[in-house]
Amino acid sequence: MNVDMDTIVKKPEAAPVLGASGIVFVNGSANQLPNLPRVLRRVVGKVELRGSMAEVRDSNSSELVAVNFDSLTAKERDGLIRDFAFGPGRPTLLLLSEGHARDYLSRLFANHTLTNMLVVNNRNVDICDFLVTIRKILKQDIFGLEKYFVWGTKTHRLLLTSSTQRGDVLDTIEAYCHDLNIPRRLRNLVVSVADEFVTNALYNAPVDEQGGPRHASLPRTEEVTLAEGEVIEVKLCCDGWRFGIATSDPFGTLTPELLLDYLAKCFTKEDYQPDESKGGAGLGFYHIFESLSHFIVNIAPGKRTELIGLLDVSGSYRTFAQAGKSFNLFTGE
Amino acid sequence: MGHQMSWKRILVDGQERIQLEGSISEHTDFRSLIEVASDSLALDLAHVDQINSCGVREWINFVNALRELGKNLEMHRCSPAIVRQLNMISNFRGDGKVQSVLAPYFCDACDNEMTQIVDLAGIESPPEIAETLPCPNCGEDMEFDDLVDSYLGFLGR
Ligand SMILES: [Zn+2]
């Protein structure tokens, strides 16, 4: 073995992720997440602390602005929604919230401001999810369910090419959850998310050679089969604490704008009006969002869309329902 | 995947009700139910275990059709899956009257799951939901398996 003496004694880089640009962290005056700045400095490098949103406007150098949403006043929250869309080149916003962002989701989605939100639990964020999120914001390898689980967690893979296989896939997922002794109400959530994921991949995602929708206008009772070489991959993963499910399609047709508009519309809580001309994808995404602890969408335009769902199965349905929600939307290659 | 929805007639305290069972999805056809309804329809929804987004669409079309035909809808023993939709979709019940719901309970000690009926007929304000019940299986406390503050949130709309 060749030993490089420089490597043996060289001090590791102390700003390992974001480097010189660092992260701007708005933690409000109450400093509700007291340990987070110190932890962030160790893992992302430079952290510029700000006490209010007004101070963020001067921070054009940073690629990423993390905001403790719960620490903001109502006026600051309104200001964030109104002003944060600085236009092209604005930093990516990462909201941290224990659940108080919920009443603002419709407006945050509507102006396309909210693409990253991580839940705060016990005055801290899950540092693994935080690091994965930052890496992916920097467009480093956005795909893969495995990123959200520790090494050693087994991933199971199912493939389908036709709507006739959907029932079998959902039955398999339900049986797997049953074997894992996941309580019935949580099991129902996993299966309903799988149902929406697979339906989306089979009916909404496929496009023809001109980029036009292939199956989107068909009733979901109509059988559809993908073309030769096209496969939808379903992955399942459980580390005992959380259950992960992902579907990946080879089309990459979902756009961030469309997804955010769908979600914005559903969170306005207006009466739902069934639209016979559309497949109802918007309601499907609302169902998915509400049925998960963490919903992640990865898009390589024209190439691939991956939907990832993580569900807290550590306790009962109530444990899941009490916690806030995380959401991420990434585009990359 | 829960099995596709089926229905049968049941008699409860002299009232005929239609009991639905299974999942409401794109495969659910409510036309036969609309046909059996005379001037009103009393549904027992205790055994509806899942509703997907396509199922919500079918259901909304169904309650809208009942309204247009001037037929009254009563919803009895709404399962937690139905209550979830009542809370998520503002017009899920249409003109229907929710007469009772099932409150879910979970036992941490032995994983037992059960439901308890909560009567809503003729009430002025939302009733209190018991936070705990003794587990018939192991005797420990079972916890109400949802959010006490918002489970009946649909009543306020
Ligand atoms: Zn018990």
Side-chain angles (χ1 to χ4, degrees), chain A residues 42-61:
Chain A
R42 289 176 188 151
V43 294
V44 304
K46 196 170 113 188
V47 178
E48 289 180 34
L49 271 182
R50 298 282 187 271
S52 70
M53 281 309 294
E55 298 170 41
V56 176
R57 284 171 217 205
D58 314 326
S59 311
N60 290 332
S61 58

Side-chain angles (χ1 to χ4, degrees), chain B residues 107-112 135-142:
Chain B
C107 178
D108 227 4
C110 73
D111 291 348
N112 186 25
C135 175
N137 205 24
C138 74
E140 293 289 321
D141 275 349
M142 296 186 92

Side-chain angles (χ1 to χ4, degrees), chain A residues 50-108:
Chain A
R50 298 282 187 271
S52 70
M53 281 309 294
E55 298 170 41
V56 176
R57 284 171 217 205
D58 314 326
S59 311
N60 290 332
S61 58
S62 185
E63 274 186 80
L64 179 64
V65 175
V67 176
N68 176 4
F69 192 80
D70 303 343
S71 75
L72 303 182
T73 63
K75 202 174 156 196
E76 281 183 306
R77 291 174 185 180
D78 287 337
L80 168 84
I81 294 163
R82 201 181 49 240
D83 302 332
F84 194 81
F86 295 138
R90 71 177 162 94
T92 301
L93 177 70
L94 168 58
L95 274 197
L96 307 174
S97 175
E98 205 166 340
H100 298 98
R102 193 172 174 82
D103 292 342
Y104 297 81
L105 287 180
S106 169
R107 287 190 287 157
L108 284 163

Side-chain angles (χ1 to χ4, degrees), chain B residues 4-5 7 13 19 36 52-53 55 62 74 94 101-102 106 111 115-116 121 129 132 140 144 153 157:
Chain B
Q4 286 174 24
M5 195 195 83
W7 62 267
D13 299 332
Q19 185 171 67
V36 298
N52 68 10
S53 61
F62 164 62
E74 282 184 9
V101 300
L102 297 181
F106 180 76
D111 291 348
T115 56
Q116 169 106 333
I129 292 178
T132 58
E140 293 289 321
F144 175 62
R157 286 204 297 262

